[in-house]
Amino acid sequence: MKFIKYTCFSILSIALLSACSMEQSSESGMNNMSNQTMTNTTSSKHPLVGKEASDFELKDMKGNTVKLSDYKGKKVYLKFWATWCPTCLAGLQDVTDLSQNPPENTVVLTVVAPGINREKNVDDFKTWFNGVDYKALPVLMDLKGEFLKKLGVVGYPTSAFINENGEVVKVQPGHLKNQDITNTLLNL
């Protein structure tokens, strides 16, 4: 009986730990990102730190185009997430709260990539999102997954911090608490 419990616990632990890792498949067009993995959490080791973030063009939930340059002079926090990621879903209320009360001179945005890395397609994502209670959450859609590639996002959730000059300061995989996000933003 102990063996069965131990085996079940081990399998469950492995499943939970790998639940939010993204597939690296050629179908997703992201297979060459594997050489950009971000297993470290120190921002200085990420290849884009200190470099200007590209001026992305993403779509919001209403179909409007949003550009990074729209926020020039402000700090930008980006959270990359997916509907199939339990850690991401568990943190949606926190990031919604932060987006409604961000630190001074800061914008909080979230990014999903419909149709990329097992994420729902655009229509299914919009239907799903309209059925959840996060209407205040600012969601941008990376329809081709290009911005994910540029920032080297290889797992969900991932956070990216961009300073007032539009430079990438930190890219960190994994869930971050609002206090940690706020502290990082205040110190940019």
Side-chain angles (χ1 to χ4, degrees):
M1 187 66 171
K2 285 184 180 180
F3 176 75
I4 293 173
K5 285 182 182 180
Y6 177 75
T7 303
C8 289
F9 177 75
S10 297
I11 291 171
L12 181 60
S13 296
I14 291 169
L16 288 174
L17 289 173
S18 64
C20 290
S21 66
M22 297 186 336
E23 288 183 11
Q24 300 293 317
S25 67
S26 58
E27 295 170 358
S28 69
M30 307 281 276
N31 58 335
N32 57 352
M33 285 177 36
S34 60
N35 55 355
Q36 296 179 5
T37 57
M38 297 178 305
T39 55
N40 66 70
T41 58
T42 56
S43 60
S44 62
K45 293 184 181 180
H46 191 279
L48 291 178
V49 168
K51 296 182 180 174
E52 189 171 330
S54 61
D55 191 22
F56 64 80
E57 285 192 13
L58 305 177
K59 297 289 184 181
D60 67 13
M61 293 295 287
K62 295 177 183 173
N64 301 314
T65 300
V66 177
K67 297 180 182 181
L68 180 60
S69 58
D70 295 341
Y71 304 107
K72 186 137 177 103
K74 293 189 175 207
K75 300 172 187 177
V76 178
Y77 170 70
L78 298 168
K79 179 172 186 168
F80 296 87
W81 63 283
T83 59
W84 50 260
C85 168
T87 303
C88 300
L89 298 179
L92 286 183
Q93 186 59 57
D94 288 343
V95 75
T96 300
D97 294 343
L98 184 63
S99 72
Q100 297 303 294
N101 190 23
E104 188 176 340
N105 201 35
T106 300
V107 176
V108 175
L109 303 169
T110 69
V111 180
V112 296
I116 308 292
N117 294 313
R118 299 181 287 151
E119 181 56 87
K120 300 173 185 315
N121 66 41
V122 173
D123 292 334
D124 290 344
F125 175 79
K126 286 182 177 182
T127 299
W128 175 87
F129 190 76
N130 288 329
V132 296
D133 193 28
Y134 300 109
K135 304 300 182 259
L137 182 66
V139 177
L140 302 178
M141 295 182 287
D142 185 2
L143 299 174
K144 296 181 181 177
E146 292 173 353
F147 192 55
L148 271 76
K149 285 182 198 178
K150 286 180 183 176
L151 281 179
V153 175
V154 296
Y156 294 128
T158 293
S159 295
F161 297 86
I162 300 170
N163 67 18
E164 298 99 329
N165 300 321
E167 299 167 331
V168 177
V169 176
K170 184 175 188 175
V171 177
Q172 181 171 338
H175 175 73
L176 295 176
K177 295 180 181 178
N178 280 359
Q179 188 59 51
D180 295 330
I181 296 166
T182 299
N183 289 342
T184 300
L185 289 166
L186 292 174
N187 291 313
L188 291 184

